[in-house]
Amino acid sequence: MGLVRPAGPGRARMRTAALAGAALVAAVAGCVFAAVGTVAADGSRAEAAAGPATEARAAVRTAAEAVVIDPAERPAAPALAGGDLDGKPVRLDGFRGHVVVLNVWGSWCGPCRAEADDLQRIARQHRDQGVRFLGINTRDPDRAAARSFVRAHGLGFPSLHDPTGELLLRFPPALLNPQAIPSTLVIDRRGRIAVSIGGAITEDELSPLLARVTEEAS
């Protein structure tokens, strides 16, 4: 996303054309995008020009395809419970007290395959920091195909089986578009949605966002 040089300390303005182009790319990719500002890897922010939509969502900041929500404005994650890919019971609230990376995926999804290895690597690297991963496997009527995907990528975290997408409809659509697969949410230790990411994510993109949430006080 193109930025002009800041007019003053900590301030920057987005070019209108660049902002419109980025929004178009996000829409085509099926990603959640809110044109309010950008968040760099170091946590610094550049604000966009204010307007009615901006003021209505002043608590939301964006970094490319990621939406980062200020702690005071974070919505609670919905209750999620069901069977995993082996039929064992899994509950999202069973991870309370941990930062949770909630990844929506399907075995039929090419971008899901592209990000899977990075997700497993991040899950392993951040476990000691109190981070846990939980998947939602969607649009896979047959658990066998999903289990084959897990084995192929060595995924060590559980996934709720949600073949009809019913669990996805419990989330605010602005933060989790049920048509955008893959999608990833970061849920803070208090069970609130802190980060929303539409589209495939890489280790380099997710790690700084995850670090911001894990460094917060409980």
Side-chain angles (χ1 to χ4, degrees), residues 7 33 68 72 79 112 114 124 129 182 204:
F33 190 93
V68 180
C112 299
R124 185 174 59 250
Q129 285 77 52
D204 288 344

Side-chain angles (χ1 to χ4, degrees), residues 74-166:
R74 291 174 184 170
L80 299 178
D84 69 8
L85 299 181
D86 294 315
K88 298 176 182 178
V90 179
R91 301 180 61 89
L92 176 59
D93 60 13
F95 296 90
R96 185 64 61 86
H98 297 282
V99 173
V100 179
V101 177
L102 187 67
N103 178 251
V104 182
W105 62 276
S107 67
W108 44 268
C109 165
C112 299
R113 291 191 290 272
E115 71 175 4
D117 293 341
D118 275 18
L119 292 177
Q120 175 56 27
R121 187 160 45 249
I122 297 169
R124 185 174 59 250
Q125 292 173 348
H126 290 267
R127 187 171 180 82
D128 290 344
Q129 285 77 52
V131 176
R132 298 295 182 267
F133 276 58
L134 176 64
I136 299 180
N137 169 245
T138 190
R139 302 183 199 166
D140 268 320
D142 185 356
R143 279 185 167 95
R147 288 196 294 264
S148 294
F149 181 99
V150 168
R151 287 193 299 270
H153 295 280
L155 300 182
F157 53 86
S159 288
L160 288 160
H161 186 229
D162 184 31
T164 64
E166 185 272 331

Side-chain angles (χ1 to χ4, degrees), residues 18-60:
L19 182 58
L24 177 60
V25 170
V28 171
C31 302
V32 177
F33 190 93
V36 178
T38 60
V39 179
D42 63 0
S44 61
R45 289 172 177 167
E47 298 177 1
T54 298
E55 294 168 0
R57 302 189 62 184
V60 180

